[in-house]
């Protein structure tokens, strides 16, 4: 059956307006398959059925009418259907009876008939008799028809208001411009809504009779308490909508919303608390109100201990993403309270990665960059600690014993506010973390966290380079040197993080070549102290950086500083030449506490191990040649060093010997060497492999820290 035939069938049958059964059968077809034309033709019927005194018509058409308003609000533009519907809604909200439905007794007793003639009054949550208008928080046994429609109306009220008076999200077809239909909320209906919602907030202060009779734990909530939370949440949303529709209402509603933040019940419910915070955030500038104290309570007291709550986690990230511009501009949430957001991500690393990558740039600033960098590297450790704490819940003795031993570690990783002392500044941190990780299995969650850290580190460094001052990058380099061999003890995690850190070190020096002057002491110390597999690729990168950027034209370096760098590279070269003569590929420090891979110095296990010394010598030879081209007195020392390599060339890879001969031939002619090896910085990048002949101009040759080719 085609769409037109279906519309004709529906239209013909809906002419029987007084047959409830037919209407109940056809309404799902109309709402599900009817197009805008069919809905427009039957809109008057919907309005008539909702305003009719027959309850059956109201109950079956009210949801459909709200659905039309939500999906096709433009159908109401040319008609006057909104006024009678809102008038009926107002009647449902304010005029519901305050007594229960009268019970019909089957007995003939006079006393039973007398009791049936007097229905029970409606009560409040605490059991007292209700003396004001009926709301969804009143208790009746059983409910009357008008009381049920009071429930129905309040449950659809937000959707109805949002369809006509809210600020819809931008649509793709409207060039990101919100659609505005030009509806204005009737003042009488607005006053009815405020009266009803204010009554709900007053009722929500009452303690339920069930809670007074049967005390319960904070982990379990009674149905009445859940209903109160839902009602308050809906009231907050409605008040926010009313202020959007009529900004003049804000001075009247703001004090009410502000008082809600002092309620313990609101502070213990993430959904309600966030709804109130949204209201205060959006309107804070109108009253010069500072919402930071309320955000402190939410992120520290609530979110800090509810990071495993799926609903709270979802709503928190959704709130932060939607209002990230306001949060960044009007509050200190992202600079002060990013640790709780980190805990949510670590607990659910797959679920919130996309949202976190949106928020991460807003968290990074000059004051937080170093702390965030350490925190990102510590994500797997944080996941392990969180799992340990969750598994020990209910085992007070185990928790007390563990917490005493690892109290400093727990306090640092589980903090809810930024600005704590850096744990990695202590000399005992490495040993403490090694003890904690010893014997612990890498769980699925920890493994998932390990996989996302390199991606987040890449985003972090890119933001630092593009948004922050160079001084922050300068501060970051020594920290990278420190943390390169102080990572969570999981081999694949260490390998991938080191790769990305090595790439980002190259990117930092590419943008800031003058760092070779500022960080001369740290670079030379790192090169000379490189006796561990965890730092060998970083050392290779640093040797290339020295050769590439230790130039007066790029970094304003002095001849004395060039000589110091050359002395470091020369000593380093002689050391590696000695290892090559002994047939040793690398000199690992077995006592490296954070290295999870310990390779024998005499028996390399992989082709990459055998290729490391040739790769390193290629880079060092090129760097020494460049320094000699820039400072002529170094040429004789370079020639002496290279001659020793040629004298024992049988111990070296053929590409090393080839590179030495090329550089010697160039350095014999100082003017040519200066023009070739000291050429301006180029951005062309070649991957360096020991058995692929590099170009004759080493200045354009960059070692790839991520891969090395096997012997061809």
């Amino acid at each position: 059956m085609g769409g037109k035939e279906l519309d004709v069938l529906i239209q013909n049958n809906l002419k029987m307006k007084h047959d409830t059964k037919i209407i109940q059968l056809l309404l799902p077809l109309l709402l599900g398959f009817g197009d805008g034309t069919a809905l427009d033709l039957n809109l008057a019927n919907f309005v008539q059925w909702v305003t009719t005194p027959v309850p059956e018509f109201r109950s079956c058409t009210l949801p459909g009418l709200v659905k039309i308003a939500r999906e096709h609000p433009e159908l109401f533009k040319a008609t006057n259907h909104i006024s009678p519907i809102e008038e009926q809604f107002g009647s449902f909200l304010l005029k519901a009876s305050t007594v229960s439905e009268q019970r019909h007794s089957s007995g003939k007793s006079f006393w039973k008939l007398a009791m049936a003639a007097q229905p029970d009054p409606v009560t409040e949550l605490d059991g007292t008799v209700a003396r004001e208008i009926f709301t969804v928080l009143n208790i009746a046994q059983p409910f009357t028809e008008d009381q049920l429609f009071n429930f129905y109306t309040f449950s659809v009220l937000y959707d109805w208001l949002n369809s006509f008076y809210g600020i819809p999200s931008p649509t793709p077809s409207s060039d990101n411009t919100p659609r505005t239909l030009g509806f204005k909320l009737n003042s009488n209906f607005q006053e009815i809504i405020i009266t009803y919602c204010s009554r709900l907030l007053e009722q929500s202060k009452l303690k339920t009779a069930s809670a007074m009779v049967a005390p319960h734990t904070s982990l379990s909530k009674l149905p009445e308490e859940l209903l109160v939370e839902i009602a308050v949440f809906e009231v907050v949303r409605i008040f926010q909508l009313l202020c959007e529709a009529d900004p003049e209402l804000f001075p009247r509603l703001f004090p009410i919303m502000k008082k809600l933040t002092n309620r313990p019940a609101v502070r213990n419910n993430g959904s309600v608390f966030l709804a109130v915070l949204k209201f205060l955030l959006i309107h804070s500038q109108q009253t010069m109100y500072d919402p930071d104290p309320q955000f402190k309570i939410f992120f520290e007291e609530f979110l800090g201990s509810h990071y495993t709550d799926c609903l709270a986690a979802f709503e928190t990230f959704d709130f932060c993403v939607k209002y990230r511009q306001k949060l960044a501009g009007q509050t200190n949430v992202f600079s002060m309270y990013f640790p709780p957001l980190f805990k949510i991500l670590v607990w659910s690393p797959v679920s919130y990665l996309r949202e976190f990558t949106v928020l991460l740039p807003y968290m990074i600033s000059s004051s937080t960059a170093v702390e965030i960098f350490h925190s990102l590297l510590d994500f797997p450790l944080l996941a392990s600690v969180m799992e340990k704490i969750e598994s020990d819940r209910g085992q007070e003795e185990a928790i007390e014993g563990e917490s005493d031993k690892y109290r400093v570690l727990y306090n640092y990783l589980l903090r809810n506010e930024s600005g704590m002392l850096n744990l990695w500044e202590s000399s005992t941190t490495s040993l403490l973390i090694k003890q904690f990780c010893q014997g612990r299995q890498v769980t699925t969650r920890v493994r998932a966290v390990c996989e996302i850290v390199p991606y987040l580190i890449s985003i972090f460094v890119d933001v630092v380079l593009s948004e922050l001052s160079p001084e922050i990058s300068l501060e970051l380099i020594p920290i990278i040197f420190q943390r390169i061999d102080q990572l969570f003890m999981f081999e694949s995690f260490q390998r991938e993080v080191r790769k990305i850190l090595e790439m980002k070190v190259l990117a930092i020096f590419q943008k800031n070549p003058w760092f070779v002057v500022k960080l001369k002491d740290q670079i030379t110390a790192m090169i000379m102290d490189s006796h561990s597999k965890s730092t060998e690729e970083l050392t290779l990168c640093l040797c290339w950086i020295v050769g590439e950027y230790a130039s007066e034209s790029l970094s304003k370096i002095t001849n004395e500083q060039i000589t110091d760098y050359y002395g470091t590279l020369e000593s380093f070269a002689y050391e590696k030449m000695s290892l090559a003569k002994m047939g040793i590929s690398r000199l690992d420090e077995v006592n490296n506490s954070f290295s999870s891979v310990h390779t024998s110095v005499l028996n390399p296990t992989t082709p990459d191990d055998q290729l490391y010394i040739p790769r390193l010598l290629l880079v060092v030879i090129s760097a020494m040649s460049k320094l000699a081209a820039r400072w002529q007195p170094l040429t004789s020392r370079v020639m002496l060093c290279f001659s020793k390599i040629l004298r024992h060339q049988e111990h070296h890879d053929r590409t090393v010997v080839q590179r030495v001969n090329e550089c010697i031939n160039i350095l014999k002619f100082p003017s040519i060497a200066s023009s070739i090896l000291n050429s301006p910085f180029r951005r062309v990048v070649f991957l360096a492999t020991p058995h692929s002949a590099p170009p004759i101009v080493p200045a354009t040759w960059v070692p790839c820290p991520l891969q090395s080719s096997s012997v061809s």
Side-chain angles (χ1 to χ4, degrees):
M1 180 180 295
K4 292 185 178 180
E5 292 82 355
L6 181 61
D7 288 344
V8 172
L9 175 64
I10 294 174
Q11 186 65 24
N12 291 336
N13 283 275
L14 284 177
K15 292 178 180 179
M16 304 173 64
K17 299 179 182 179
H18 302 291
D19 193 331
T20 308
K21 293 183 178 180
I22 292 180
I23 293 176
Q24 289 176 333
L25 290 173
L26 292 179
L27 278 180
L29 288 175
L30 179 61
L31 296 174
F33 301 100
D35 57 13
T37 303
L39 294 173
D40 193 9
L41 292 174
N42 289 280
L43 185 57
N45 292 335
F46 276 90
V47 175
Q48 180 180 351
W49 293 327
V50 168
T51 56
T52 185
V54 181
E56 290 80 4
F57 283 101
R58 293 175 177 173
S59 60
C60 67
T61 56
L62 183 58
L65 183 65
V66 175
K67 186 175 186 293
I68 296 175
R70 183 170 58 245
E71 297 180 359
H72 302 281
E74 66 280 354
L75 297 181
F76 293 80
K77 184 68 176 176
T79 62
N80 193 28
H81 293 317
I82 294 181
S83 295
I85 295 173
E86 291 184 347
E87 184 179 346
Q88 185 65 61
F89 283 173
S91 177
F92 288 154
L93 292 174
L94 290 187
K95 297 181 180 180
S97 60
T98 55
V99 295
S100 301
E101 186 175 20
Q102 185 174 351
R103 294 186 177 90
H104 298 286
S105 174
S106 58
K108 305 281 186 179
S109 168
F110 170 78
W111 296 108
K112 290 182 179 180
L113 291 174
M115 292 174 62
Q118 296 184 4
D120 296 331
V122 169
T123 61
E124 302 287 1
L125 291 170
D126 59 358
T128 59
V129 176
R131 301 189 181 279
E132 297 185 37
I133 62 172
F134 178 88
T135 71
V136 296
L137 294 183
N138 284 119
I139 300 172
Q141 297 293 338
F143 291 106
T144 62
E145 290 288 347
D146 57 348
Q147 291 167 356
L148 291 176
F149 280 107
N150 184 283
F151 277 91
Y152 294 159
T153 302
F154 182 70
S155 65
V156 302
L157 185 58
Y158 178 83
D159 274 347
W160 177 265
L161 295 174
N162 192 46
S163 299
F164 300 111
Y165 314 111
I167 302 178
S169 301
T171 59
S173 60
S174 61
D175 254 351
N176 294 329
T177 303
R179 55 186 176 87
T180 55
L181 299 176
F183 293 105
K184 183 173 178 59
L185 181 62
N186 180 273
S187 58
N188 292 333
F189 186 49
Q190 174 181 282
E191 194 61 34
I192 290 173
I193 295 172
I194 295 175
T195 301
Y196 187 90
C197 291
S198 299
R199 162 85 167 130
L200 281 175
L201 293 181
E202 289 299 319
Q203 289 178 292
S204 65
K205 298 178 183 178
L206 301 174
K207 192 171 184 179
T208 62
S210 302
M212 292 186 289
V213 174
H216 57 288
T217 65
S218 59
L219 298 178
S220 60
K221 295 181 179 180
L222 297 172
E224 294 88 344
E225 293 175 322
L226 293 174
L227 179 61
V228 169
E229 292 177 355
I230 295 171
V232 174
F233 175 74
E234 200 70 9
V235 167
V236 174
R237 292 206 307 163
I238 291 172
F239 276 0
Q240 169 61 32
L241 244 173
L242 292 179
C243 287
E244 290 177 359
D246 185 4
E248 294 182 359
L249 281 177
F250 174 73
R252 176 182 175 185
L253 300 182
F254 180 78
I256 299 175
M257 303 297 288
K258 186 178 176 181
K259 289 180 181 178
L260 284 178
T261 59
N262 297 324
R263 294 191 186 183
V266 172
R267 293 185 176 185
N268 293 326
N269 185 286
S271 301
V272 179
F273 205 169
L274 277 175
V276 176
L277 290 178
K278 172 186 173 182
F279 182 93
L280 298 178
L281 175 66
I282 292 176
H283 302 287
S284 59
Q285 290 185 326
Q286 294 178 242
T287 57
M288 303 300 292
Y289 173 75
D290 182 13
D292 282 339
Q294 303 304 328
F295 282 109
K296 178 181 177 66
I297 295 172
F298 175 79
F299 282 96
E300 285 196 10
E301 298 181 10
F302 176 80
L303 195 61
S305 58
H306 290 77
Y307 53 83
T308 60
D309 186 332
C310 297
L311 180 60
F314 173 81
E315 292 186 337
T316 299
F317 266 112
D318 183 64
F319 171 77
C320 290
V321 170
K322 285 183 178 178
Y323 299 98
R324 57 188 182 275
Q325 300 288 353
K326 285 184 175 291
L327 288 171
Q330 302 176 23
T331 73
N332 61 359
V333 166
F334 291 140
S335 61
M336 288 294 294
Y337 308 117
F338 58 80
L341 296 175
F342 286 3
K343 288 194 282 187
I344 293 178
L345 175 68
V346 168
W347 190 255
S348 306
V350 178
S351 302
Y352 303 112
L353 179 59
R354 179 179 300 178
E355 290 79 4
F356 185 82
T357 55
V358 173
L359 297 178
L360 182 57
Y362 293 89
M363 304 176 191
I364 302 171
S365 65
S366 300
S367 60
T368 64
V370 172
E371 183 176 355
I372 289 177
F373 179 70
H374 281 295
S375 298
L376 294 177
L377 292 178
D378 292 336
F379 270 9
L381 185 61
L382 174 60
S384 184
V385 168
M386 291 165 65
E387 288 189 328
K388 173 63 178 173
I389 291 177
E390 289 299 316
S391 65
D392 287 344
R393 289 197 185 277
Q395 305 176 24
E396 286 76 9
E397 296 180 359
I399 294 177
E400 185 176 354
E402 287 280 336
S403 61
D404 290 340
K405 185 176 181 180
Y406 301 113
R407 184 178 301 277
V408 175
L409 179 64
Y410 286 6
N411 289 342
Y412 173 73
L413 293 174
L414 299 175
R415 66 195 185 281
N416 294 319
E417 186 176 349
S418 65
M420 288 188 63
L421 292 177
N422 181 12
L423 182 69
W424 293 99
E425 293 177 351
S426 172
S427 59
T428 62
T429 298
S430 298
L431 179 60
L432 180 67
I433 294 177
K434 181 181 178 182
Q435 292 174 350
F436 177 82
C437 295
Q438 198 166 17
R440 298 192 188 278
Q441 293 183 347
V442 178
T443 63
T444 303
R445 176 179 284 109
V446 174
R447 189 182 297 270
V449 171
C450 289
E451 291 176 354
I452 69 173
V453 169
Y455 173 63
L456 297 177
I457 290 293
S458 178
I459 295 176
F460 169 83
V461 177
D462 290 344
V463 172
V464 170
L465 285 174
S466 61
E467 302 297 333
L468 302 186
S469 65
E471 284 71 21
I472 304 303
S473 300
L474 184 67
E475 185 180 2
L476 200 60
I477 290 294
I479 298 174
I480 294 177
F481 292 173
Q482 173 198 4
R483 292 300 307 270
I484 196 76
D485 63 346
Q486 294 180 344
L487 299 172
F488 183 74
M489 297 176 64
F490 183 48
E491 180 180 347
S492 64
F493 169 73
Q494 293 179 342
R495 182 175 61 252
E496 295 303 319
V497 169
R498 285 168 187 155
K499 285 181 181 179
I500 200 66
L501 289 178
E502 291 151 9
M503 290 180 60
K504 294 307 177 181
V505 166
L506 290 172
I508 291 173
F509 277 94
Q510 178 180 345
K511 186 172 183 179
N512 305 283
W514 55 275
F515 281 7
V516 296
V517 177
K518 290 287 187 179
L519 298 172
K520 183 176 74 69
D521 294 340
Q522 292 88 335
I523 293 174
T524 54
M526 192 70 189
I527 292 175
M528 295 307 298
D529 196 36
S530 176
H531 300 295
S532 168
K533 183 176 181 178
S534 60
T535 60
E536 61 188 16
E537 291 295 333
L538 178 61
T539 302
L540 188 147
C541 293
L542 292 178
C543 290
W544 181 86
I545 286 170
V546 169
E548 189 70 13
Y549 302 122
S551 168
E552 184 180 1
S553 62
L554 293 175
S555 56
K556 308 300 181 184
I557 194 170
T558 64
N559 293 331
E560 290 76 14
Q561 291 169 328
I562 291 178
T563 303
D564 291 342
Y565 267 129
Y566 176 80
T568 300
L569 293 179
E570 185 181 49
S571 301
F572 190 63
Y574 281 128
E575 177 185 338
K576 299 309 175 185
M577 287 160 56
S578 300
L579 293 179
K581 291 178 185 179
M582 298 169 58
I584 298 176
S585 62
R586 52 161 54 98
L587 184 61
D588 289 347
E589 285 186 348
V590 180
N591 62 347
N592 186 338
S593 60
F594 271 82
S595 178
S596 60
V597 182
H598 303 298
T599 307
S600 170
V601 297
L602 297 178
N603 299 301
T605 57
T606 65
D608 286 350
D609 292 335
Q610 300 175 1
L611 293 173
Y612 176 68
I613 292 295
R615 292 174 60 226
L616 184 60
L617 284 175
L618 284 171
V619 175
V620 172
I621 290 168
S622 296
M624 294 168 65
S625 301
K626 296 174 189 177
L627 295 181
R630 294 163 191 158
W631 180 231
Q632 296 300 325
L634 296 177
T635 303
S636 59
R637 295 173 61 180
V638 173
M639 291 295 192
L640 177 61
C641 180
F642 288 175
S643 65
K644 292 183 179 181
I645 296 178
L646 294 179
R647 191 176 307 141
H648 303 281
Q649 59 182 286
E650 67 275 8
H651 300 296
H652 299 289
D653 190 272
R654 60 182 177 84
T655 56
V656 174
V657 177
Q658 176 187 351
R659 173 54 58 85
V660 168
N661 285 320
E662 290 173 351
C663 292
I664 289 176
N665 291 331
I666 293 176
L667 291 173
K668 288 179 180 178
F669 306 96
S671 59
I672 297 177
S674 178
S675 62
I676 295 178
L677 298 178
N678 197 25
S679 58
F681 172 62
R682 305 176 186 178
R683 296 183 179 272
V684 181
V685 177
F686 296 90
L687 299 183
T689 60
H691 290 277
S692 60
I696 194 65
V697 183
T700 61
W701 177 69
V702 179
C704 178
L706 304 184
Q707 66 184 58
S708 59
S709 301
S710 58
V711 179
S712 56

